[in-house]
Amino acid sequence: MRFIYNIGIGITGFVLKCIGLFNEKIKKGVTGRNAAFEILKSNLCASDKTLWFHCASLGEYEQGLPVFQKLRKHYYDYKIILSFFSPSGYDIRKNSPIADVVVYLPLDTKRNAKRFLDLVHPKLTLFVKYDIWPNFLKELGHRNLRAILISASFRKTQIYFKPYGGLFKKALLSFEHIFTQNESSKSLLESIGYQNVTVSGDTRFDRVTSQLESDNTLGFVEAFKQDKLCVVVGSSWPEDEALFIEFINSRRNLGVKYIVAPHNIKSGQIQNFASKLRAKTVLYSEKDNEELKHFDVLIIDTIGLLSKIYSSSDIAYVGGAMGTTGLHNILEPAVFGPPIVIGKNYIKFPEAQAMIDNGGVFSVSDQMGFNAILRKLIADSDFRRLSGSKNTEFIKKNTGAVIQILNYLRI
């Protein structure tokens, strides 16, 4: 199995180079991985004490950040290496203050794993949620280096729990300890003989709770919102935006303001969305704070503001689940206490089901259902406040994962 896997990784590297000739995102990853070793050699020396944090992408980085921050403070004299597999994580967090060196993770070949660890030689390695690479983990084990997996979430359909998944099962079992988000993930690990597991919960709860300690005031949001009810649409895709186009254009939105932060901020797609709205619409890049109060829809055509914008939401809609791209983070708005509406495809997101059951999140499958719940949330202030308060309570109840992880690490 390992022989076949190693051949497959080699083929993958070649295929990615070919695809990269035509795809800018793939090209970024290929170029970044090629540069990783030179970056490490330029920033590390054999005498450095180091920690290594690995995240697949931006979502896993945000998930691991509260733990990373505590370790950064405790291991103040260590150099921290942060690696990403995806360009979307690397591009946005390549200047992360919690790391001394940020690189793409080289492809999981035996040679790359040895070369990477020769340069990094970490005292402790943390992987977040998934992105479990057999050759890197095998090499960590050969060198008796500590590796922990945090915020892990498993499903029985994954390869680790299949008869043919021996290589990946072995990689999973090589972690010193695994902290899972839920009991079902712990049970799955125990079913394959892994016992060093703790249900700590999801570190994202700790992450979003820390947002309450920040100054979330945005002058342009206040200028736009005034004293009106505000619906914030976060990380929307075209399938999500279609719902709002129909709803806003139907004139059911009298006296309501909308802030829309699309996932994709390419100019063409944003202009296409804006052109279909019959309400007065302005882009963030074109805003004039003095004039914002005269608009009904504000489209955020930049990144990095959404978590603060959610603090001004009376109702939140989180995108990704109306189509098949994957539900975005519903905990970000939940911490501020608005009721949340999402699409129908959320099966891989256990927190969504839990929050639906709790009464603070509402899933819709079509325009009719969307119109019904949004009208009710807008018209019924008591229902809106009660639903939102359930989200606040849910967040408070589920914080504490970071403390458990740090206690295990004796920090």
Side-chain angles (χ1 to χ4, degrees), residues 286-304:
E286 301 171 350
K287 74 183 188 307
D288 177 339
N289 283 11
E290 293 298 319
E291 298 296 322
L292 278 174
K293 63 184 178 182
H294 300 301
F295 290 90
D296 302 308
V297 181
L298 170 60
I299 299 177
I300 309 299
D301 53 348
T302 188
I303 61 174

Side-chain angles (χ1 to χ4, degrees), residues 102 147 228 268 350 353 375:
V102 183
K228 303 291 181 62
Q353 185 62 64
R375 283 201 305 269

Side-chain angles (χ1 to χ4, degrees), residues 235-251:
S235 303
S236 60
W237 291 78
E239 298 91 342
D240 307 298
E241 291 156 8
L243 298 173
F244 281 91
I245 291 168
E246 195 280 338
F247 188 87
I248 293 172
N249 289 346
S250 72
R251 303 292 183 182

Side-chain angles (χ1 to χ4, degrees), residues 15 35 110 125 191 220 283 337 390:
V15 170
K110 291 190 291 184
T125 295
S191 74
F220 74 89
L283 304 187
K390 291 179 179 179

Side-chain angles (χ1 to χ4, degrees), residues 184-343:
S184 61
S185 294
K186 179 183 179 183
S187 297
L188 283 169
L189 288 172
E190 290 174 341
S191 74
I192 59 172
Y194 189 89
Q195 301 297 325
N196 299 328
V197 54
T198 300
V199 180
S200 62
D202 190 339
T203 51
R204 288 182 302 165
F205 289 96
D206 300 80
R207 168 64 174 143
V208 297
T209 299
S210 69
Q211 188 68 35
L212 295 174
E213 301 169 6
S214 302
D215 180 2
N216 295 296
T217 304
L218 293 170
F220 74 89
V221 172
E222 294 181 344
F224 171 74
K225 180 179 178 181
Q226 300 289 306
D227 59 351
K228 303 291 181 62
L229 187 143
C230 185
V231 179
V232 174
V233 184
S235 303
S236 60
W237 291 78
E239 298 91 342
D240 307 298
E241 291 156 8
L243 298 173
F244 281 91
I245 291 168
E246 195 280 338
F247 188 87
I248 293 172
N249 289 346
S250 72
R251 303 292 183 182
R252 297 187 181 98
N253 62 306
L254 190 63
V256 178
K257 297 272 190 168
Y258 297 86
I259 302 177
V260 183
H263 176 75
N264 190 327
I265 59 170
K266 289 182 178 179
S267 177
Q269 294 191 25
I270 285 181
Q271 291 295 339
N272 181 56
F273 170 49
S275 69
K276 295 177 181 178
L277 293 168
R278 292 201 290 266
K280 291 191 68 176
T281 301
V282 62
L283 304 187
Y284 171 83
S285 59
E286 301 171 350
K287 74 183 188 307
D288 177 339
N289 283 11
E290 293 298 319
E291 298 296 322
L292 278 174
K293 63 184 178 182
H294 300 301
F295 290 90
D296 302 308
V297 181
L298 170 60
I299 299 177
I300 309 299
D301 53 348
T302 188
I303 61 174
L305 297 175
L306 182 56
S307 59
K308 289 182 180 292
I309 292 173
Y310 276 136
S311 70
S312 297
S313 62
D314 297 293
I315 301 167
Y317 179 96
V318 179
M322 218 39 222
T324 58
T325 52
L327 178 65
H328 289 274
N329 190 353
I330 62 174
L331 304 183
E332 277 192 329
V335 74
F336 295 110
I340 299 168
V341 181
I342 63 173

Side-chain angles (χ1 to χ4, degrees), residues 23-33 39 55-59 61-62 82-97 102-105 265-266 303-304:
N23 183 296
E24 190 60 32
K25 183 176 180 180
I26 299 296
K27 182 180 179 181
K28 281 183 179 181
V30 171
T31 304
R33 270 179 269 281
I39 293 172
C55 309
S57 190
L58 182 61
Y61 170 85
E62 295 296 336
L82 172 64
S83 63
F84 289 99
F85 190 82
S86 167
S88 61
Y90 179 85
D91 286 348
I92 295 174
R93 294 295 178 236
K94 59 188 174 186
N95 296 313
S96 170
V102 183
V103 295
Y104 281 92
L105 185 71
I265 59 170
K266 289 182 178 179
I303 61 174

Side-chain angles (χ1 to χ4, degrees), residues 28-78:
K28 281 183 179 181
V30 171
T31 304
R33 270 179 269 281
N34 288 341
F37 291 115
E38 288 304 316
I39 293 172
L40 291 170
K41 282 194 286 186
S42 299
N43 289 276
L44 298 174
C45 61
S47 60
D48 286 331
K49 296 183 292 184
T50 66
L51 305 180
W52 173 27
F53 305 153
H54 176 66
C55 309
S57 190
L58 182 61
E60 290 70 41
Y61 170 85
E62 295 296 336
Q63 203 158 25
L65 186 57
V67 178
F68 300 162
Q69 289 171 327
K70 296 293 185 182
L71 293 176
R72 166 87 280 178
K73 185 176 181 180
H74 183 78
Y75 291 102
Y76 60 88
D77 56 342
Y78 279 64

